[in-house]
Amino acid sequence: MEGTIDPTHLLIFALDGQRYALPLAAVDRVVRAAALTPLPKAPEIVLGVLDLQGVIIPVINLRKRFRLPERPIGCDDQFLVARTAKFPVALAVDSTHEVVRLSPEAVVKPEAIVPGTGHLCGVTRHADGLVLIHDLDTLLFPDEELQIAEALA
């Protein structure tokens, strides 16, 4: 991910009161939550699919991935549409907050905090506390990517 996506230019979003971020270069847009169509044979982490201007996009349940309490998607929730290396996804989030640009020194490599956190590309401080910067290309497990690709085919 380094070199192709800048982990210092971020979109900060919230989920269950915690702040998270994605590198801005991976984000396409943010849309209001909408009704989803179930996707048979998709992994449990997929809430369903969204038809966004003719493009079918799997919607990922970050609550399940982060082991947060489950709750139904509400009309105030948002879908953060982003690109993985293989296909676009939408992440169900409570809200998006701001775009920030940090100095490289403000981002701590995850290995410096806890080894084996491959789904993170950094951690930074924000006025509201720590922000975990996620690596979208490692958020899904390889078998989940394969299942999603097969279900979409």
Side-chain angles (χ1 to χ4, degrees):
M1 182 161 201
E2 280 185 357
T4 58
I5 292 187
D6 180 1
T8 63
H9 201 189
L10 309 169
L11 173 64
I12 296 178
F13 63 93
L15 195 61
D16 207 40
Q18 170 64 43
R19 301 281 193 251
Y20 300 92
L22 281 179
L24 189 61
V27 177
D28 278 338
R29 67 179 100 173
V30 177
V31 297
R32 280 190 97 69
L36 300 176
T37 302
L39 182 62
K41 300 182 183 176
E44 286 184 5
I45 195 166
V46 175
L47 291 167
V49 290
L50 176 68
D51 181 348
L52 190 61
Q53 297 175 325
V55 178
I56 305 302
I57 299 174
V59 178
I60 306 301
N61 184 351
L62 288 180
R63 290 178 172 281
K64 186 171 285 294
R65 173 60 74 225
F66 299 160
R67 297 185 179 137
L68 298 172
E70 293 284 333
R71 71 166 179 75
I73 294 174
C75 58
D76 289 335
D77 293 336
Q78 297 176 323
F79 293 150
L80 199 160
V81 181
R83 296 175 309 280
T84 70
K86 302 210 174 169
F87 45 77
V89 295
L91 307 176
V93 302
D94 296 347
S95 59
T96 54
H97 288 272
E98 62 186 306
V99 172
V100 297
R101 186 167 204 96
L102 307 170
S103 68
E105 300 80 35
V107 177
V108 177
K109 298 281 184 198
E111 303 83 34
I113 299 169
V114 178
T117 52
H119 60 285
L120 295 177
C121 60
V123 178
T124 191
R125 289 178 183 84
H126 188 269
D128 298 322
L130 292 178
V131 176
L132 304 176
I133 306 167
H134 286 275
D135 178 351
L136 194 56
D137 287 329
T138 60
L139 189 64
L140 295 174
F141 300 140
D143 61 323
E144 291 170 334
E145 283 185 344
L146 181 61
Q147 281 182 294
I148 292 169
E150 288 173 354
L152 288 171

